[in-house]
Amino acid sequence: MSAPINFTFNGSTYSGEAGQSIAAALISQDQRVLRTTRFDEAPRSIFCGIGICFDCVVVVNGIANQRSCLVEITEGAVIVSKQ
Ligand code: FES
């Protein structure tokens, strides 16, 4: 078993396993809301889980529009819902 990978999401620290997507790591720790919609702040989580719907986009290390269902967690990553 590999060492846990630590990262932050909206300022809170989480950990996951190597090879886990951001969405999988967060949802496995009951963090289901990944972002909110632009105009009415409606919560969004994963929908398709395979990179098609873009419901799960987050900002990873300052890079916007990263699909959290596809991007793997990395040690020290700073992930936020919005810039
Ligand atoms: S959940 Fe659909 S693109 Fe990530």
Side-chain angles (χ1 to χ4, degrees):
M1 187 169 166
S2 60
I5 296 173
N6 300 303
F7 62 98
T8 64
F9 177 66
N10 291 339
S12 297
T13 302
Y14 293 86
S15 63
E17 299 176 11
Q20 247 183 338
S21 70
I22 294 167
L26 289 172
I27 289 170
S28 72
Q29 294 168 81
D30 288 331
Q31 177 56 55
R32 297 180 183 278
V33 176
L34 302 172
R35 68 176 182 95
T36 56
T37 57
R38 185 184 319 175
F39 297 112
D40 59 3
E41 299 291 323
R44 290 291 181 265
S45 189
I46 61 168
F47 182 68
C48 72
I50 56 173
I52 295 173
C53 73
F54 286 72
D55 257 6
C56 67
V57 293
V58 293
V59 181
V60 181
N61 295 325
I63 303 172
N65 300 319
Q66 300 298 296
R67 289 168 287 180
S68 63
C69 67
L70 298 181
V71 177
E72 291 183 10
I73 55 172
T74 56
E75 182 65 36
V78 177
I79 303 162
V80 293
S81 294
K82 297 179 180 178
Q83 282 182 320

